[in-house]
Amino acid sequence: MTEKQTSYILSINCGSSSLKFSLYQSGSLLQECSGNVDTIGSTGSSLTIYKDGKSVLQQSSGFKNLDGAVKAVINWLKTSEYKNSLLAIGHRLVQGGPDHREPELITDELINNLQAFVYLAPNHLPDEVRTIKTFGRAFPGLQQVACFDTAFHRNMPDEAKYYPLPAKYREQGLLHYGFHGLSYEYIMHQIDRKHIKVSKIIIAHLGNGASMAAVKNGICIETTMGLSPIGGLVMGTRSGDLDPGVILFLLKQGKLTTAQLDKLLSKESGLKAIAGKSDVQELLQLEAEDPKARVAITVFCYQARKFIGSLTAAMGGMDMLVFTGGIGENSEIIRERICGELGFLGVNLDKKSNHDNKENISSATSRVKVLAMKTNEEVMIAQHTQTIIKHQTHEN
């Protein structure tokens, strides 16, 4: 009797300048291997494959765009030991419009529907849809699943969900969607798994893209990003929230086209506009001698504190504050500067635990439990994909 061959679920996570992917064993969802293509668009861009925490392959090609990175991943898969063992592919999609929030099987109809909502996420959806189509051509017949980053926020109350604008715009898809949902979902699963009993949680996903969510009794009731991933906190190259008058100023006085405005707010604003650089770690290294870097870090931490305060008010209190994302997980300096003036909310860090990047970084006297947790969007994609495929199999 031959041993049953292991099958794998491939998780694909497209970013603005990166592509992350992981292979998980179906059933157990144990990670087999992972990889990423970083700094897409730069000459130093490279594909790296990891197994058991170690780099097993590195291919430097200076990938000019996401399409080139996707093709490199497909070429690696087709020449790897996993080429005939793929069960399904799951994709993170930033946006699916008002009618597509839950994970679902990707069909031609869904692709057509997504094309109609490109205007809601013009910097993300076109690349994501192209990636789905490219994998579909490379692995014909393999089922693919869409996991929408807006799903976690779908049950926000009306007072948080709708903008005070005429109803006709709501009918066109103008809603407070929220993003980073797969990351928030993973963090909440980890909190549940650890049997931590708290009812009012703020999760700060801080990376090149940054947002926060207020979760009360397991339901997201408010989040900082809105219609698009541009809003909320100041970010690496995104502006965050602006007075609507600023937009009118840029259109009228700056005489910008909508395309120019989109590029300005998405790729030329935020920390990059303040300091000329968008990487927080680099700015921290420069701040002692560079006043602009110091201002950028100050603005980032100030806005984080401001949003934590507003989300606490929205929930009527805070029991737990969780830092995640590349900056949130790894930068003890940023966590310390954000929390340093939040004592009035009951937030107090343990300096040694924070410096050592422990998970629990709150002091013994802190009324609010403060954690630094690693997120994992890819495993959530795999989990949703496996659930959809199983459901599909049972239906057939």
Side-chain angles (χ1 to χ4, degrees):
M1 188 173 180
T2 58
E3 188 177 337
K4 185 179 178 182
Q5 185 180 20
T6 303
S7 58
Y8 299 94
I9 293 172
L10 174 65
S11 290
I12 300 292
N13 188 345
C14 299
S16 54
S17 61
S18 65
L19 172 64
K20 293 189 287 185
F21 57 96
S22 293
L23 274 174
Y24 295 92
Q25 296 177 19
S26 63
S28 66
L29 292 184
L30 290 172
Q31 188 183 71
E32 176 75 11
C33 61
S34 65
N36 67 68
V37 182
D38 59 5
T39 60
I40 294 171
S42 74
T43 54
S45 180
S46 62
L47 164 66
T48 308
I49 308 293
Y50 301 92
K51 193 166 184 177
D52 299 324
K54 298 176 182 177
S55 172
V56 294
L57 182 147
Q58 185 159 27
Q59 175 187 327
S60 298
S61 294
F63 297 101
K64 294 180 180 178
N65 51 43
L66 181 63
D67 292 344
V70 168
K71 288 173 184 174
V73 172
I74 289 171
N75 287 339
W76 171 76
L77 280 167
K78 284 183 170 289
T79 56
S80 74
E81 61 188 286
Y82 310 109
K83 61 182 178 181
N84 297 318
S85 305
L86 291 182
L87 176 67
I89 304 172
H91 297 264
R92 170 182 167 266
L93 273 74
V94 70
Q95 174 65 279
D99 300 325
H100 299 284
R101 307 293 285 270
E102 301 275 9
E104 63 180 285
L105 195 68
I106 294 173
T107 62
D108 290 341
E109 182 182 4
L110 175 60
I111 293 293
N112 291 334
N113 288 341
L114 292 176
Q115 301 280 16
F117 285 103
V118 162
Y119 67 88
L120 290 176
N123 298 311
H124 297 84
L125 261 184
D127 283 341
E128 292 165 355
V129 169
R130 276 201 310 274
T131 298
I132 289 168
K133 290 180 175 179
T134 303
F135 272 97
R137 288 191 296 270
F139 299 98
L142 205 61
Q143 290 182 314
Q144 300 191 81
V145 171
C147 301
F148 299 103
D149 225 9
T150 56
F152 185 77
H153 312 289
R154 66 192 181 281
N155 294 319
M156 284 195 300
D158 288 355
E159 60 267 28
K161 189 183 297 183
Y162 300 120
Y163 293 104
L165 293 166
K168 65 178 181 180
Y169 298 111
R170 185 188 306 175
E171 292 162 8
Q172 294 173 26
L174 183 59
L175 298 175
H176 182 175
Y177 288 100
F179 301 91
H180 289 138
L182 290 163
S183 174
Y184 293 133
E185 186 179 10
Y186 177 81
I187 295 298
M188 289 303 298
H189 278 211
Q190 293 301 105
I191 290 171
D192 288 343
R193 191 176 63 82
K194 296 172 190 296
H195 304 294
I196 301 172
K197 301 298 181 184
V198 291
S199 61
K200 299 173 181 177
I201 303 170
I202 292 176
I203 307 172
H205 179 109
L206 305 180
N208 189 49
S211 71
M212 295 183 183
V215 185
K216 187 174 183 179
N217 298 321
I219 303 294
C220 178
I221 67 157
E222 181 60 276
T223 188
T224 56
M225 285 179 172
L227 174 70
S228 77
I230 302 174
L233 292 149
V234 66
M235 293 170 249
T237 63
R238 301 176 212 166
S239 65
D241 282 356
L242 297 171
D243 178 342
V246 174
I247 307 300
L248 295 174
F249 176 92
L250 293 169
L251 290 171
K252 292 177 180 179
Q253 300 301 117
K255 301 189 186 321
L256 299 183
T257 64
T258 54
Q260 289 171 327
L261 180 63
D262 186 13
K263 183 179 179 184
L264 171 66
L265 300 181
S266 299
K267 300 180 179 179
E268 298 173 355
S269 296
L271 303 180
K272 181 181 179 181
I274 298 170
K277 300 178 187 299
S278 61
D279 183 79
V280 165
Q281 201 57 45
E282 186 177 2
L283 291 170
L284 284 170
Q285 292 169 358
L286 294 172
E287 68 170 339
E289 299 175 356
D290 185 344
K292 291 181 179 179
R294 189 159 56 250
V295 170
I297 293 296
T298 300
V299 169
F300 184 82
C301 296
Y302 161 74
Q303 287 208 0
R305 289 195 302 273
K306 184 173 72 169
F307 277 107
I308 288 170
S310 67
L311 293 176
T312 301
M315 286 194 295
M318 170 174 55
D319 302 319
M320 177 182 284
L321 173 60
V322 182
F323 288 97
T324 191
I327 299 167
E329 294 165 15
N330 301 306
S331 180
E332 73 276 10
I333 298 173
I334 294 296
R335 294 193 300 260
E336 183 178 348
R337 292 188 190 178
I338 290 172
C339 294
E341 295 184 43
L342 295 180
F344 73 102
L345 290 177
V347 174
N348 288 288
L349 294 188
D350 181 88
K351 287 191 175 181
K352 186 175 189 308
S353 296
N354 184 50
H355 180 268
D356 294 343
N357 278 320
K358 300 290 188 183
E359 183 174 278
N360 184 356
I361 57 174
S362 45
S363 72
T365 59
S366 182
R367 184 181 59 76
V368 173
K369 193 174 186 68
V370 187
L371 303 180
M373 298 178 70
K374 186 174 180 60
T375 193
N376 192 332
E377 294 168 321
E378 287 75 38
V379 76
M380 294 311 305
I381 295 168
Q383 185 173 310
H384 287 308
T385 300
Q386 179 159 275
T387 300
I388 293 294
I389 296 302
K390 279 185 177 178
H391 181 70
Q392 190 74 12
T393 302
H394 289 156
E395 280 193 344
N396 294 337

